[in-house]
Short mmCIF file of all heavy atoms in Angstrom, two decimals:
data_model
loop_
_atom_site.label_atom_id
_atom_site.label_comp_id
_atom_site.label_asym_id
_atom_site.label_seq_id
_atom_site.Cartn_x
_atom_site.Cartn_y
_atom_site.Cartn_z
N ASP A 13 2.86 2.11 9.97
CA ASP A 13 2.12 3.02 9.12
C ASP A 13 3.08 3.56 8.07
O ASP A 13 3.96 4.36 8.38
CB ASP A 13 1.52 4.14 9.97
CG ASP A 13 0.68 5.12 9.17
OD1 ASP A 13 0.73 5.11 7.92
OD2 ASP A 13 -0.04 5.91 9.81
N GLY A 14 2.91 3.13 6.85
CA GLY A 14 3.85 3.45 5.78
C GLY A 14 3.84 4.90 5.33
O GLY A 14 4.77 5.33 4.65
N VAL A 15 2.84 5.69 5.68
CA VAL A 15 2.80 7.09 5.28
C VAL A 15 3.18 8.04 6.41
O VAL A 15 3.28 9.24 6.21
CB VAL A 15 1.42 7.48 4.70
CG1 VAL A 15 1.12 6.69 3.44
CG2 VAL A 15 0.31 7.32 5.72
N CYS A 16 3.41 7.50 7.60
CA CYS A 16 3.74 8.30 8.78
C CYS A 16 5.24 8.55 8.85
O CYS A 16 6.03 7.61 8.84
CB CYS A 16 3.26 7.56 10.03
SG CYS A 16 3.88 8.22 11.58
N ASN A 17 5.64 9.82 8.91
CA ASN A 17 7.07 10.15 8.99
C ASN A 17 7.71 9.60 10.26
O ASN A 17 8.83 9.10 10.21
CB ASN A 17 7.27 11.66 8.91
CG ASN A 17 7.05 12.19 7.51
OD1 ASN A 17 7.17 11.48 6.53
ND2 ASN A 17 6.70 13.47 7.42
N LEU A 18 7.03 9.69 11.39
CA LEU A 18 7.57 9.14 12.63
C LEU A 18 7.78 7.63 12.49
O LEU A 18 8.83 7.11 12.88
CB LEU A 18 6.64 9.44 13.81
CG LEU A 18 7.03 8.79 15.14
CD1 LEU A 18 8.39 9.28 15.62
CD2 LEU A 18 5.95 9.05 16.19
N CYS A 19 6.82 6.95 11.91
CA CYS A 19 6.92 5.49 11.75
C CYS A 19 8.05 5.12 10.80
O CYS A 19 8.82 4.19 11.08
CB CYS A 19 5.60 4.93 11.24
SG CYS A 19 4.20 5.36 12.31
N ASN A 20 8.17 5.84 9.69
CA ASN A 20 9.25 5.57 8.74
C ASN A 20 10.62 5.83 9.36
O ASN A 20 11.55 5.05 9.15
CB ASN A 20 9.07 6.40 7.47
CG ASN A 20 8.05 5.79 6.55
OD1 ASN A 20 8.26 4.70 6.04
ND2 ASN A 20 6.94 6.47 6.36
N ASN A 21 10.74 6.89 10.15
CA ASN A 21 12.01 7.16 10.84
C ASN A 21 12.29 6.07 11.86
O ASN A 21 13.45 5.69 12.06
CB ASN A 21 11.98 8.54 11.49
CG ASN A 21 12.05 9.65 10.46
OD1 ASN A 21 12.53 9.46 9.35
ND2 ASN A 21 11.55 10.82 10.82
N SER A 22 11.25 5.57 12.51
CA SER A 22 11.42 4.49 13.48
C SER A 22 11.92 3.22 12.78
O SER A 22 12.80 2.53 13.30
CB SER A 22 10.11 4.21 14.21
OG SER A 22 9.72 5.33 14.96
N VAL A 23 11.38 2.92 11.62
CA VAL A 23 11.83 1.75 10.85
C VAL A 23 13.30 1.91 10.48
O VAL A 23 14.08 0.97 10.61
CB VAL A 23 10.95 1.53 9.60
CG1 VAL A 23 11.59 0.54 8.64
CG2 VAL A 23 9.55 1.06 10.01
N GLN A 24 13.69 3.11 10.04
CA GLN A 24 15.09 3.34 9.70
C GLN A 24 15.99 3.15 10.93
O GLN A 24 17.08 2.56 10.82
CB GLN A 24 15.28 4.76 9.13
CG GLN A 24 14.59 4.96 7.80
CD GLN A 24 15.12 4.02 6.73
OE1 GLN A 24 16.31 3.76 6.63
NE2 GLN A 24 14.23 3.50 5.91
N PHE A 25 15.53 3.61 12.08
CA PHE A 25 16.28 3.43 13.33
C PHE A 25 16.42 1.94 13.65
O PHE A 25 17.51 1.47 13.99
CB PHE A 25 15.55 4.16 14.47
CG PHE A 25 16.20 3.97 15.80
CD1 PHE A 25 17.22 4.81 16.22
CD2 PHE A 25 15.80 2.94 16.65
CE1 PHE A 25 17.83 4.63 17.46
CE2 PHE A 25 16.40 2.76 17.88
CZ PHE A 25 17.43 3.60 18.29
N ILE A 26 15.34 1.20 13.53
CA ILE A 26 15.35 -0.24 13.82
C ILE A 26 16.31 -0.96 12.87
O ILE A 26 17.10 -1.81 13.30
CB ILE A 26 13.93 -0.83 13.74
CG1 ILE A 26 13.09 -0.26 14.90
CG2 ILE A 26 13.96 -2.35 13.77
CD1 ILE A 26 11.59 -0.46 14.73
N ILE A 27 16.28 -0.61 11.60
CA ILE A 27 17.18 -1.23 10.63
C ILE A 27 18.64 -1.01 11.03
O ILE A 27 19.46 -1.93 10.99
CB ILE A 27 16.89 -0.70 9.20
CG1 ILE A 27 15.57 -1.27 8.70
CG2 ILE A 27 18.04 -1.04 8.25
CD1 ILE A 27 15.05 -0.61 7.43
N ARG A 28 18.96 0.22 11.45
CA ARG A 28 20.35 0.52 11.85
C ARG A 28 20.77 -0.25 13.10
O ARG A 28 21.95 -0.53 13.28
CB ARG A 28 20.50 2.02 12.11
CG ARG A 28 20.59 2.86 10.86
CD ARG A 28 21.04 4.29 11.15
NE ARG A 28 20.33 4.96 12.22
CZ ARG A 28 19.18 5.62 12.08
NH1 ARG A 28 18.59 5.68 10.91
NH2 ARG A 28 18.63 6.22 13.12
N HIS A 29 19.82 -0.58 13.97
CA HIS A 29 20.16 -1.21 15.24
C HIS A 29 19.78 -2.69 15.30
O HIS A 29 19.82 -3.30 16.36
CB HIS A 29 19.52 -0.43 16.40
CG HIS A 29 20.13 0.92 16.54
ND1 HIS A 29 19.60 2.02 15.89
CD2 HIS A 29 21.21 1.36 17.20
CE1 HIS A 29 20.34 3.07 16.18
NE2 HIS A 29 21.34 2.70 16.96
N ASP A 30 19.42 -3.24 14.17
CA ASP A 30 19.16 -4.68 14.04
C ASP A 30 20.15 -5.20 13.01
O ASP A 30 19.80 -5.53 11.88
CB ASP A 30 17.71 -4.92 13.61
CG ASP A 30 17.38 -6.38 13.37
OD1 ASP A 30 18.08 -7.26 13.92
OD2 ASP A 30 16.43 -6.66 12.61
N LYS A 31 21.39 -5.23 13.41
CA LYS A 31 22.49 -5.54 12.48
C LYS A 31 22.38 -6.92 11.84
O LYS A 31 22.82 -7.12 10.72
CB LYS A 31 23.83 -5.43 13.21
CG LYS A 31 24.04 -4.09 13.89
CD LYS A 31 24.95 -3.22 13.11
CE LYS A 31 25.30 -1.98 13.91
NZ LYS A 31 24.77 -0.78 13.36
N LYS A 32 21.77 -7.87 12.53
CA LYS A 32 21.63 -9.22 11.99
C LYS A 32 20.44 -9.33 11.04
O LYS A 32 20.26 -10.35 10.40
CB LYS A 32 21.49 -10.23 13.12
CG LYS A 32 22.73 -10.35 13.97
CD LYS A 32 22.53 -11.31 15.10
CE LYS A 32 23.75 -11.29 16.01
NZ LYS A 32 23.46 -11.80 17.33
N GLY A 33 19.64 -8.29 10.96
CA GLY A 33 18.49 -8.31 10.05
C GLY A 33 17.39 -9.27 10.47
O GLY A 33 16.74 -9.87 9.62
N ASN A 34 17.17 -9.42 11.76
CA ASN A 34 16.17 -10.36 12.24
C ASN A 34 14.73 -9.89 12.03
O ASN A 34 13.83 -10.70 11.82
CB ASN A 34 16.37 -10.64 13.73
CG ASN A 34 17.64 -11.43 13.97
OD1 ASN A 34 17.97 -12.32 13.19
ND2 ASN A 34 18.35 -11.11 15.02
N ILE A 35 14.51 -8.59 12.11
CA ILE A 35 13.14 -8.06 12.00
C ILE A 35 12.79 -7.82 10.54
O ILE A 35 13.56 -7.22 9.80
CB ILE A 35 13.00 -6.76 12.81
CG1 ILE A 35 13.36 -7.01 14.29
CG2 ILE A 35 11.58 -6.20 12.70
CD1 ILE A 35 13.47 -5.75 15.13
N ARG A 36 11.63 -8.30 10.15
CA ARG A 36 11.08 -8.05 8.81
C ARG A 36 10.01 -6.97 8.93
O ARG A 36 9.47 -6.75 10.02
CB ARG A 36 10.47 -9.32 8.22
CG ARG A 36 11.45 -10.47 8.09
CD ARG A 36 12.45 -10.16 6.99
NE ARG A 36 13.36 -11.27 6.79
CZ ARG A 36 14.66 -11.18 7.01
NH1 ARG A 36 15.19 -10.07 7.42
NH2 ARG A 36 15.44 -12.21 6.79
N PHE A 37 9.68 -6.31 7.84
CA PHE A 37 8.76 -5.18 7.86
C PHE A 37 7.67 -5.32 6.81
O PHE A 37 7.90 -5.89 5.74
CB PHE A 37 9.53 -3.88 7.59
CG PHE A 37 10.65 -3.64 8.54
CD1 PHE A 37 11.94 -4.06 8.24
CD2 PHE A 37 10.43 -3.00 9.74
CE1 PHE A 37 12.99 -3.84 9.12
CE2 PHE A 37 11.48 -2.77 10.63
CZ PHE A 37 12.75 -3.20 10.32
N ALA A 38 6.52 -4.76 7.12
CA ALA A 38 5.44 -4.60 6.14
C ALA A 38 4.62 -3.40 6.58
O ALA A 38 4.40 -3.19 7.78
CB ALA A 38 4.56 -5.85 6.06
N SER A 39 4.19 -2.60 5.63
CA SER A 39 3.35 -1.46 5.99
C SER A 39 1.94 -1.95 6.30
O SER A 39 1.49 -2.97 5.77
CB SER A 39 3.33 -0.43 4.87
OG SER A 39 2.62 -0.91 3.76
N LEU A 40 1.27 -1.23 7.17
CA LEU A 40 -0.12 -1.56 7.50
C LEU A 40 -1.00 -1.47 6.25
O LEU A 40 -2.00 -2.18 6.15
CB LEU A 40 -0.65 -0.58 8.57
CG LEU A 40 -0.05 -0.72 9.96
CD1 LEU A 40 -0.39 0.50 10.80
CD2 LEU A 40 -0.54 -1.99 10.63
N GLN A 41 -0.62 -0.61 5.31
CA GLN A 41 -1.42 -0.39 4.11
C GLN A 41 -1.23 -1.48 3.05
O GLN A 41 -2.03 -1.58 2.13
CB GLN A 41 -1.07 0.97 3.49
CG GLN A 41 -1.43 2.14 4.36
CD GLN A 41 -0.36 2.54 5.38
OE1 GLN A 41 0.63 1.84 5.59
NE2 GLN A 41 -0.56 3.68 6.03
N SER A 42 -0.20 -2.28 3.16
CA SER A 42 0.11 -3.27 2.14
C SER A 42 -0.83 -4.48 2.22
O SER A 42 -1.51 -4.70 3.23
CB SER A 42 1.56 -3.76 2.30
OG SER A 42 1.68 -4.56 3.47
N GLU A 43 -0.82 -5.27 1.17
CA GLU A 43 -1.63 -6.49 1.15
C GLU A 43 -1.20 -7.43 2.27
O GLU A 43 -2.04 -7.98 2.99
CB GLU A 43 -1.49 -7.18 -0.21
CG GLU A 43 -2.37 -8.40 -0.35
CD GLU A 43 -2.22 -9.07 -1.71
OE1 GLU A 43 -1.80 -8.42 -2.68
OE2 GLU A 43 -2.54 -10.28 -1.79
N MET A 44 0.10 -7.61 2.44
CA MET A 44 0.60 -8.46 3.51
C MET A 44 0.20 -7.91 4.87
O MET A 44 -0.23 -8.65 5.75
CB MET A 44 2.12 -8.61 3.43
CG MET A 44 2.73 -9.38 4.59
SD MET A 44 2.24 -11.11 4.69
CE MET A 44 3.36 -11.83 3.51
N GLY A 45 0.35 -6.60 5.05
CA GLY A 45 -0.04 -5.97 6.31
C GLY A 45 -1.50 -6.19 6.62
O GLY A 45 -1.88 -6.54 7.74
N GLN A 46 -2.36 -6.02 5.62
CA GLN A 46 -3.80 -6.22 5.81
C GLN A 46 -4.12 -7.67 6.15
O GLN A 46 -4.95 -7.95 7.01
CB GLN A 46 -4.56 -5.79 4.54
CG GLN A 46 -4.52 -4.29 4.29
CD GLN A 46 -5.25 -3.52 5.37
OE1 GLN A 46 -6.41 -3.76 5.66
NE2 GLN A 46 -4.55 -2.58 5.99
#
Side-chain angles (χ1 to χ4, degrees):
D13 182 347
V15 297
C16 168
N17 286 336
L18 174 62
C19 304
N20 280 295
N21 289 336
S22 297
V23 166
Q24 294 299 320
F25 177 87
I26 292 165
I27 288 169
R28 284 192 311 274
H29 293 91
D30 177 23
K31 305 258 188 247
K32 294 178 186 160
N34 291 322
I35 302 170
R36 300 290 183 244
F37 303 93
S39 70
L40 291 166
Q41 295 87 350
S42 70
E43 184 180 337
M44 175 65 82
Q46 291 295 305

